[in-house]
Amino acid sequence: MIGQPPHKPLIWVGSSRRDFGAMPKEVRARMGYALYVAQQGGMHRDAKPLKGFAGSGVAEIVADFRGDTFRTVYTVRLAGAVYVLHAFQKKSRKGAATPKSDIALVKSRLRDAEKLSRGEP
């Protein structure tokens, strides 16, 4: 469209695209729009900075659907693209904190995204 800046491409890291695709259609639609907003340079109301990554440009989109909670984690800190790092259904019923295993996976995939952004294999 005229007058709008081009949006950043989405780059899926690891199994994030497959995991995102396995989510319910309603969740994918909502999160997909939130990712589109990130591509445009904004932050959707369902997105918030991921705890433990303060100021790093890592955010999570949270969607509740039929009693389940789904999350998609992405980063905008790497120039030129939105990197989707992780998409999952939160299994734990204890609190709102992201499980440590998921945080470790996000950290690993963030390192992978940094390599991709530098053109490294």
Side-chain angles (χ1 to χ4, degrees):
M1 299 185 102
I2 298 173
Q4 289 186 341
H7 65 272
K8 295 179 178 181
L10 277 181
I11 297 176
W12 302 86
V13 182
S15 64
S16 61
R17 186 176 202 149
R18 183 182 68 237
D19 299 336
F20 185 86
M23 292 180 177
K25 179 181 173 183
E26 295 85 350
V27 172
R28 288 193 320 265
R30 192 163 151 190
M31 288 190 171
Y33 182 71
L35 287 170
Y36 173 76
V37 171
Q39 288 177 281
Q40 300 299 315
M43 185 175 264
H44 189 270
R45 71 181 189 289
D46 290 342
K48 61 184 178 184
L50 183 60
K51 289 182 181 167
F53 292 84
S56 67
V58 176
E60 69 175 338
I61 306 162
V62 180
D64 293 321
F65 180 72
R66 295 188 179 167
D68 292 319
T69 300
F70 296 87
R71 296 181 180 191
T72 297
V73 179
Y74 66 92
T75 186
V76 294
R77 86 175 193 191
L78 305 169
V82 175
Y83 290 82
V84 182
L85 305 173
H86 191 25
F88 62 104
Q89 178 179 346
K90 187 172 178 288
K91 302 286 186 192
S92 173
R93 297 287 180 208
K94 296 178 184 176
T98 302
K100 289 180 183 178
S101 60
D102 290 302
I103 292 294
L105 184 58
V106 167
K107 287 180 180 178
S108 173
R109 289 188 178 167
L110 183 58
R111 287 189 296 273
D112 293 343
E114 290 167 345
K115 288 179 184 177
L116 286 171
S117 75
R118 293 190 301 262
E120 297 176 20

